[in-house]
Amino acid sequence: MKAIAEARTPLTVFEQMESEVRSYCRSFPVVFTKASGHMLWDRSGKAYIDFFAGAGALNYGHNNPAIKKKLIEYLQQDGLTHSLDMATEAKEVLLQTFRETILKPRSLSYKVMFPGPTGTNSVEAALKLARKATGRETVMSFTNGFHGMTIGSLAVTGNRMKRGGAGMPLTHTIAIPYDQYMGSELDTTLYIERLLEDDGSGVSLPAAMILETVQGEGGINVASIEWLQKMEAICRKHGILLIIDDVQAGCGRTGSFFSFEEAGIVPDIVCLSKSIGGYGLPFALTLFKPELDIWLPGEHNGTFRGNNLAFVAATESLRYWKNDQLSRSVLAKGNIVRTRLEKLKKAYPFLQGKVRGKGLMQGLAVGAEGMAEKICAKAFERGLILETSGPKSEVMKVMPPLTITEEALTEGLDILEASIQACKEEEKEQ
Amino acid sequence: MKAIAEARTPLTVFEQMESEVRSYCRSFPVVFTKASGHMLWDRSGKAYIDFFAGAGALNYGHNNPAIKKKLIEYLQQDGLTHSLDMATEAKEVLLQTFRETILKPRSLSYKVMFPGPTGTNSVEAALKLARKATGRETVMSFTNGFHGMTIGSLAVTGNRMKRGGAGMPLTHTIAIPYDQYMGSELDTTLYIERLLEDDGSGVSLPAAMILETVQGEGGINVASIEWLQKMEAICRKHGILLIIDDVQAGCGRTGSFFSFEEAGIVPDIVCLSKSIGGYGLPFALTLFKPELDIWLPGEHNGTFRGNNLAFVAATESLRYWKNDQLSRSVLAKGNIVRTRLEKLKKAYPFLQGKVRGKGLMQGLAVGAEGMAEKICAKAFERGLILETSGPKSEVMKVMPPLTITEEALTEGLDILEASIQACKEEEKEQ
Amino acid sequence: MKAIAEARTPLTVFEQMESEVRSYCRSFPVVFTKASGHMLWDRSGKAYIDFFAGAGALNYGHNNPAIKKKLIEYLQQDGLTHSLDMATEAKEVLLQTFRETILKPRSLSYKVMFPGPTGTNSVEAALKLARKATGRETVMSFTNGFHGMTIGSLAVTGNRMKRGGAGMPLTHTIAIPYDQYMGSELDTTLYIERLLEDDGSGVSLPAAMILETVQGEGGINVASIEWLQKMEAICRKHGILLIIDDVQAGCGRTGSFFSFEEAGIVPDIVCLSKSIGGYGLPFALTLFKPELDIWLPGEHNGTFRGNNLAFVAATESLRYWKNDQLSRSVLAKGNIVRTRLEKLKKAYPFLQGKVRGKGLMQGLAVGAEGMAEKICAKAFERGLILETSGPKSEVMKVMPPLTITEEALTEGLDILEASIQACKEEEKEQ
Amino acid sequence: MKAIAEARTPLTVFEQMESEVRSYCRSFPVVFTKASGHMLWDRSGKAYIDFFAGAGALNYGHNNPAIKKKLIEYLQQDGLTHSLDMATEAKEVLLQTFRETILKPRSLSYKVMFPGPTGTNSVEAALKLARKATGRETVMSFTNGFHGMTIGSLAVTGNRMKRGGAGMPLTHTIAIPYDQYMGSELDTTLYIERLLEDDGSGVSLPAAMILETVQGEGGINVASIEWLQKMEAICRKHGILLIIDDVQAGCGRTGSFFSFEEAGIVPDIVCLSKSIGGYGLPFALTLFKPELDIWLPGEHNGTFRGNNLAFVAATESLRYWKNDQLSRSVLAKGNIVRTRLEKLKKAYPFLQGKVRGKGLMQGLAVGAEGMAEKICAKAFERGLILETSGPKSEVMKVMPPLTITEEALTEGLDILEASIQACKEEEKEQ
């Protein structure tokens, strides 16, 4: 089957010219040509349901028609495409819309920074600002956290293979245990509090803690509401800044616009990227409390901070947040996914499955080694794009566009089940 | 005059909502609404000649019509916009075109990496790879070099203010003197060679040296051909990788596609961004010799590596390199600029000017403190966008789109002269 | 009382000339003039029982007569005093004696390194060797561990105040929880094992773990036999070197020559100092398994590696280890101390006391803040030298010379009790 | 010859038991048994003239009789041997004597710190204090500087082999060029000043510069008076602390007590060790201006700060500084050495020799590779102990005790000449 696929859509040019670092094109070895909403098509015309959503960058679907219309209009009227951090109308409208639609209704007064158009740019800006503002160099990060590939962000990322890519020591960071890291044996907040209170712990008072409320790349680990509240309290008590990296879990992925809303906490700094660009266009924001805005002009810069096409797309995408329709629909579809995954877990005990997640960020952790990847490969053959995550690629991530129809969602889950069934049968044969 | 400009185009929203880190909007305090080729317009309809070219990201001008056409077509046909590192047709065509148009004619066999869509992503990938490939953690960088704002890149950037933004020590890098750093007193290659050869120098054998052939942000410092050749020889002798950061000087800015072609050197790793995206869209590449391609799949990743609109734009922009017409035109227009700057330097001795640069990357360094910024402000009032660079913002950079007409170029230079004249008169009055 | 003491023995010269960093002379504000065995005398002739033993450097008592005799003989015959790492007879005899008396009977085949004459020199050499031998830069150290004041050792020391003295970040080390760090809530070996096994923990595979079997400065925390065995097993499993810092707990302090003998573990590297010099003379050794001896000649050096007076004293002191008499006496006297401390804890509940320790390294942790220091001050007035340790100076350390008589021991404990009683009465009065 | 030597004094125990790191015992492969003044004797009774002086720790000769007498007396009367930083009479007398004999006559008001008894302890304390006092983490050190083997000191040491022993990156230091590093081509103070003044140099404002006025281990490189004065001026101008490491060049080695006296500069911090102990006993001091004394009590500590035997010896040795007799004699004997070395250089052109040094710290740099070590080996056979230094062990160091007689000095120089002659003849034969 794989052989046929490759025959149909040879990846010759990529194999010859592109670095060995390429990765997703190995799991999904076809040449894609077209995409719309929750669907993709390859060169042969084969269709795929998308349970991947550009790793969370396509919450509003591929080539969302309302946004596309705005982009084409903007291009046609020669609006500025590239503006660094000069003032443009597209940026002005975006700022106003973000304030009216997102910040004001949530009583948030964040200043907005355009740190460069990628998630790792946003995280780097957050870390720099936290260190500069506190005068402390250490940042606490969490086991299995993922924050990006540039050195500052990589130093707060848990994955050992990716850290190895640095080729040098990653310093000024301390890894501390995420919620449930030792299962029910240890309330990790007690351990963290002990490290901070004990003058002999060997752990410096950090500038900040950076965390994801749901760890996407780390394996769909969900922090409980109480744990988040305790971490915020610890930060307040010790004068530590709380940075929420909402690059993947934000923009509605867990139901609310910010993933931390349900916990009622107010981070000092918030990192946004991925779906904030609306259309999959490179874009990122760093939000922070006004009193932290101690940057000197130009102290952090970057050529592509002024990606005006992304401003236009982002502005249009914020229409989804004028009411709670999308939120409710995410929770409803999240329940469909959750119910089905729980059912699969029970029906297929060979998986040694565990279900976890929130909203449309759900995962089925598979105990049997290598099995998650096998199932994903089978699903791809059947027309479903499904990614794994976790330190051993052991978690199947169900993360479709938020705008997916319930029919397509069910169809995708059916393919998932068929793929599990196929793997089960193969196991038996051996 | 400034008061009037502000009245006309208030920046209220930006002042209220955007971080203090914003910078260019302070030098050019209007809201821009439209751009085309070498021209920009603000909200009041006032036109500006662009001697800035998006800090080098707009070599083919604003909203280049041929590229725009391709972008709109691609959007209309629902080609994939966002694809991470999956294979798409747009990417395939780009790779083929880059090979045929750029690599093959120059007998280069680089592997191509998509490191994320910004210059600093490209630099970070280069540094990580160099360290990993050599097993050494130190990188040598040059006085007044500029490579980006994320921690890995910032550690090889010279600017003290920007380094201060890190809020923590920047380590594993050694600053060494660029060509002419001590004027004619010292051949800096001799000093660098001494540090490497002396077993007591306290300087580790580095993984790599990273350099710009012309330092843009550092103040338009041009390395001589001989110096570049000596540096390459030193690298070869000691087994040090040579990284050329061609983010600003590449893509034709100095005349040839790569800025290092004239020197006849072959870097081990090349960083490209800014104008490689063709239309000012976020895009970057890291090129390296095939034997360095030791990346593990996914060891460096990033959400926006698959910005297909940029692939489409980049492909179309490479048409400019099918023949040497653009190259010759850059050199011709470079001469016009050079001649005029030399004339200005002589005509206005109060400037204590020095002219330097290459191709359409020319600068007039102004000895009188604060004067360069004053002249640029005057030029802006007169409809010319002109940036300063250098550690004390002492160099006026003349860096228009490569596609600017000779008429517009001359008009811009006339405005520059008028602005100098105006400053001179003000000086007298005092 | 304090005023009187100062009147009697003014510290004027010290106050005028010595740095503010001086510390013990503040707790014991007299000028000492004479010492012998477990006794000290100040200038006024007042005698003090020594429960401090030079912070563990005087296990064989002050000015031990047998050793003194050898020192004077050596001086009189003009044996080499200072020899760097040249071969001398004094060193030869020491090496032979150490092999016959210490290593052989314990079936240990360690190579012996003379790293410089202080504990921190020994630790620095151990850390350098571990990193060099494994090619890894990280070392795991433990909460409340203490290993020295030079940067390498300070980086594995837990105390926040002392770390602050570095004036710069201390890197390439990870603090992990010592035995019982979270009380009975967590078996810390499980947490450490999880960090090592989880590919997403953010924790690098370390070169080594460095630990004290009983943490002296950290507050007399005793690691259990099982915990030590588990830690050794974790090290073996992951290829991590195990370094035991036996600077304070070694040389018989806990009963056996090495503190780790009872656990039946064999560290890869052992650090010795303090009492290894026999007479309180500066001396240190680093022992390691022969296969780790990858040093290049002169790769670690130091002027005072050849302190021959210390060699002579050390050789003589090893006589104490020709049979098990000293060991048995330490355990017996340890029991006397233990029993008394337990009794004090019960009799004086206002102390909120906890007793811990091993052999003649016992402590009474006092819950009431500042009380431990108060009691020690009272004890000093009454002629007993008693030190506190722990992150908040909350533990009274009972650490007399191993050669103390049972009578003097009891007398000292009586003074301790009287001092507690005096504090209790003062508390009541308030 | 070497075979005979080994037969006579086998080093078996050392070879079996001592780490491969041992070094001097390889150059001088005999077992030494006795020493007095400028003479050593090995087990066979063979005598050696000492041109090495314990690497500068024996300025007053081996087993100086006046000091020996005081030591034996002190031992006999049971004065405290080991006192940590408690006040003792021996320490009080030392402080008073140091003030009266050294500080006052030179109008210096330094506070005195006992940082632990080795040179590297003194340097570590100096670096920690400088960083803490300025709040900056970077220290500038010099090409071919040598400051010690613990991580803080090693990071400011130039030697590549020794740095490699760290097994990890050495950070927060910047190597800058010593006087004459580029020969006459470059005044290195101009380069250093440029790095500091240029806001784009990539070099941080350092806490301190640490330097030796004569680099001993680095190859007897002498900084000129003007250069030292310029460096002090640069430090003052930029608010950088000036640390003079006088561990080897101090205590009269270059003629005056402090090596920097002739230059008329006043360092902020001075490191002393080696001969400050008088008798080769482990001892070190760190001196600093009173306003820098911001240490917290106990913020830097160490078990062997109170080595009272060294206090007694040091006090007695300071008698040599009550008048200028020793100073004048050092200069006179230095001239004898200098004259002879210059003569040898001319008489033996095959050496490609260069003479350098100051006082009784003189060196003959030998251009012919490996030749310096060959000559030293020949000299040893002839009864002269002579060490090499420099990054390639290319410099023969003439560094006898300051108290050597002129006869012995001449005899030693004769042996040196005979050894050179022997090597010359061997060269010819080949």
Side-chain angles (χ1 to χ4, degrees), chain C residues 253-287:
Chain C
R253 179 52 61 188
T254 66
S256 50
F257 183 81
F258 293 114
S259 72
F260 51 80
E261 293 178 33
E262 195 185 348
I265 62 173
V266 183
D268 298 288
I269 307 180
V270 181
C271 299
L272 289 177
S273 185
K274 293 202 188 255
S275 282
I276 190 68
Y279 201 78
L281 297 174
F283 189 32
L285 293 176
T286 311
L287 314 177

Side-chain angles (χ1 to χ4, degrees), chain D residues 98 108 110-111 115 118-127 129-130 139-142 145-148 153 156 178-179 207-216 221-233 235-236 240-254 256-274 276 284-289 292 358 361:
Chain D
F98 190 71
L108 296 169
Y110 292 131
K111 289 299 276 296
T118 69
T120 195
N121 278 311
S122 176
V123 170
E124 293 263 355
L127 298 175
L129 186 61
V139 171
M140 283 184 161
S141 60
F142 288 84
F146 181 95
H147 303 285
S153 304
V156 288
Y178 197 70
D179 193 16
M209 291 187 187
I210 183 165
L211 63 85
E212 303 149 285
T213 63
V214 182
Q215 296 183 322
N221 307 310
V222 182
S224 72
I225 298 296
E226 300 77 40
W227 189 86
L228 289 171
Q229 290 168 343
K230 279 189 201 167
M231 291 311 298
E232 188 194 43
C235 285
R236 296 291 167 263
I240 299 166
L241 297 176
L242 178 61
I243 305 172
I244 297 291
D245 179 340
D246 232 10
V247 168
Q248 186 161 143
C251 300
R253 179 53 61 188
T254 65
S256 50
F257 183 81
F258 294 113
S259 72
F260 52 80
E261 293 178 32
E262 195 184 348
I265 62 175
V266 182
D268 298 287
I269 307 181
V270 180
C271 299
L272 289 177
S273 186
K274 294 203 189 257
I276 188 69
L285 293 176
T286 311
L287 313 177
F288 35 82
K289 294 186 175 165
L292 292 176
K358 201 167 175 178
M361 195 172 181

Side-chain angles (χ1 to χ4, degrees), chain A residues 367-413:
Chain A
E369 205 174 313
M371 181 57 66
E373 287 182 308
K374 237 184 241 176
I375 296 167
C376 287
K378 291 253 180 279
F380 181 69
E381 290 170 9
R382 282 163 174 76
L384 177 69
I385 292 179
L386 191 71
E387 191 202 7
T388 60
S389 77
K392 293 187 195 305
S393 297
E394 77 279 17
V395 182
M396 297 187 292
K397 270 169 93 171
V398 178
M399 231 172 75
L402 307 184
T403 53
I404 194 171
T405 60
E406 295 198 4
E407 295 68 38
L409 188 63
T410 303
E411 195 184 339
L413 291 167

